[in-house]
């Protein structure tokens, strides 16, 4: 097996804001590129290609679109996610690693469903304040970015199915969760998904939490990291649509990435929910770039 760490990296933007109701997150890919993502990765010796953005319609174009009850823009989101899925399949076919820049988290329906086609068995690390495990039946908001994991497991109605493979409960570990809706909490317990919460991090320390996650994913050959920037505390990442205090410090987030880099199995990364309108001088996008460079091999010493 050629080591993961020498394979080139392909970047795509998914400027989608259809999965939630605050404007601005569609500018996330520009903000992260402006913060110097490609240069930072090249500086650590990586070959990086940027393929530009996946085509995403603006909400203004969707006035006449059919709507699914309590899953806003489900049809349009699914179309974008199908294109995102196809882009990920190309990365898989070329044996490239991939970074997808959001956009809101609903785009992960495309990235993860595509990554499930990697050779061997895929594991997913979902690093997020929220579990994104609602379904249209139980979602308080109807926002699809809060349903992605349920959709990936085949628990959402047909518009929210992309690709042929479903994610299994033992293929995903959630880290840094601290804000669940009441019925979502019940659903996630019943589904048997392993959730490593902020309390686990407080009690055991981040290094032990990440090592536990990697042990639980011991039988996977490739790992997709879905990093929601709202997992960071709003004092370090203010530019997100749903800030919740009590989040990760920048160092805790770096440590996740550094330990994953040492592990060597990471094949793809989502960086989602950067909202430049709500940000302060692009610091959330800059944090995203720093974290990506740690994940792909930047070392302090
Ligand atoms: Mn999320």
């Amino acid at each position: 097996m050629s080591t993961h760490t020498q394979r080139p990296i392909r970047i795509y933007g998914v400027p989608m804001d259809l999965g939630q109701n605050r404007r601005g997150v569609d500018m996330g890919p520009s903000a992260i590129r402006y913060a110097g993502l490609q240069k930072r990765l090249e500086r650590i010796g990586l070959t990086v290609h940027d393929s530009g953005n996946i085509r995403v319609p603006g909400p203004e174009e969707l006035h006449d679109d059919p709507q699914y009850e309590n899953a806003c823009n489900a049809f349009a989101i699914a179309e974008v996610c199908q294109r995102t899925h196809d882009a990920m399949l190309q990365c898989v076919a070329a044996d490239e690693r991939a970074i997808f820049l959001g956009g809101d988290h609903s785009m992960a329906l495309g990235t993860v469903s595509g990554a499930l086609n990697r050779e061997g068995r895929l594991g997913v690390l979902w690093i997020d304040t929220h579990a994104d495990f609602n379904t249209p039946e139980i979602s308080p908001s109807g926002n699809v970015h809060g349903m992605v994991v349920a959709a990936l497991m085949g628990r959402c109605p047909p518009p929210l199915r992309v690709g042929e493979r479903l994610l299994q409960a033992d293929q995903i570990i959630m880290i840094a969760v601290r804000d669940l809706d009441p019925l979502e909490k019940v659903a996630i317990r019943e589904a048997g998904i392993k959730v490593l919460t902020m309390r686990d991090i407080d009690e055991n320390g981040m290094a032990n939490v990440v090592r536990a996650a990697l042990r639980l994913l011991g039988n996977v050959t490739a790992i997709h990291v879905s990093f929601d920037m709202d997992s960071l505390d709003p004092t370090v990442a203010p530019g997100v649509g749903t800030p919740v205090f009590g989040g990760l410090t920048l160092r805790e987030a770096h440590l996740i990435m550094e330990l994953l880099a040492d592990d060597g199995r990471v094949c793809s990364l989502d960086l989602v929910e950067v909202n430049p309108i709500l940000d302060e001088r692009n610091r959330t996008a800059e944090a995203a770039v720093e974290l990506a460079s740690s994940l792909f091999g930047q070392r302090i010493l």
Side-chain angles (χ1 to χ4, degrees):
M1 187 171 74
S2 74
T3 62
H4 286 268
T5 47
Q6 289 155 359
R7 290 146 64 209
I9 293 181
R10 176 81 52 184
I11 297 171
Y12 281 96
V14 189
M16 173 146 72
D17 69 354
L18 304 172
Q20 45 84 66
N21 46 26
R22 300 185 78 166
R23 300 304 303 271
V25 72
D26 55 311
M27 293 186 270
S30 298
I32 299 171
R33 287 187 176 108
Y34 183 74
L37 177 62
Q38 183 163 356
K39 279 223 168 74
R40 274 296 282 276
L41 295 172
E42 284 170 348
R43 212 185 300 153
I44 49 181
L46 298 166
T47 304
V48 185
H49 309 282
D50 190 334
S51 288
N53 287 348
I54 307 282
R55 193 167 57 80
V56 182
E60 304 78 13
E61 299 168 57
L62 301 179
H63 287 311
D64 300 326
D65 260 44
Q67 287 293 336
Y68 191 90
E69 194 177 353
N70 207 38
C72 301
N73 305 320
F75 293 98
I77 289 168
E79 270 184 41
V80 172
C81 288
Q82 183 63 54
R83 288 196 277 276
T84 306
H85 168 96
D86 295 345
M88 182 65 97
L89 284 189
Q90 286 188 19
C91 299
V92 170
D95 198 28
E96 293 169 334
R97 292 180 291 174
I99 303 177
F100 281 76
L101 312 175
D104 71 62
H105 216 161
S106 60
M107 75 169 205
L109 183 52
T111 56
V112 175
S113 64
L116 284 168
N117 294 280
R118 289 265 177 199
E119 203 186 317
R121 184 173 165 83
L122 185 79
V124 175
L125 280 182
W126 197 268
I127 302 161
D128 200 332
T129 289
H130 311 94
D132 298 344
F133 204 64
N134 277 302
T135 56
E137 294 74 46
I138 64 171
S139 168
S141 66
N143 289 334
V144 171
H145 77 159
M147 307 180 191
V148 211
V149 177
L152 284 164
M153 289 177 62
R155 293 167 158 251
C156 288
L160 294 173
R161 300 258 169 97
V162 173
E164 276 141 38
R165 304 185 182 200
L166 291 180
L167 186 70
Q168 307 299 317
D170 65 353
Q171 277 177 288
I172 180 166
I173 313 284
M174 297 186 177
I175 297 182
V177 172
R178 63 185 189 279
D179 186 20
L180 298 166
D181 296 314
L183 293 174
E184 183 184 35
K185 211 180 268 192
V186 176
I188 205 159
R189 277 204 214 106
E190 282 174 1
I193 292 174
K194 184 70 182 169
V195 181
L196 298 165
T197 65
M198 281 311 295
R199 177 172 172 170
D200 292 308
I201 296 165
D202 293 341
E203 286 195 15
N204 304 311
M206 183 57 95
N208 288 319
V209 165
V210 174
R211 286 188 192 115
L214 290 172
R215 266 199 306 278
L216 288 162
L217 293 177
N219 65 344
V220 311
T221 45
I223 294 176
H224 175 90
V225 178
S226 202
F227 195 95
D228 192 322
M229 291 301 290
D230 73 19
S231 63
L232 290 165
D233 194 80
T235 51
V236 287
V240 298
T242 46
V244 181
F245 282 99
L248 299 176
T249 67
L250 203 49
R251 271 313 310 163
E252 284 171 329
H254 270 292
L255 185 55
I256 300 176
M257 300 311 204
E258 288 161 343
L259 290 167
L260 290 175
D262 291 350
D263 179 83
R265 286 179 287 171
V266 172
C267 60
S268 43
L269 167 68
D270 304 325
L271 286 171
V272 302
E273 301 282 354
V274 172
N275 187 326
I277 287 179
L278 305 171
D279 205 2
E280 295 164 8
R281 294 177 174 270
N282 216 30
R283 56 193 286 222
T284 305
E286 285 169 3
V289 168
E290 286 175 30
L291 292 171
S293 62
S294 282
L295 181 64
F296 289 107
Q298 168 81 51
R299 287 167 173 276
I300 292 177
L301 192 65

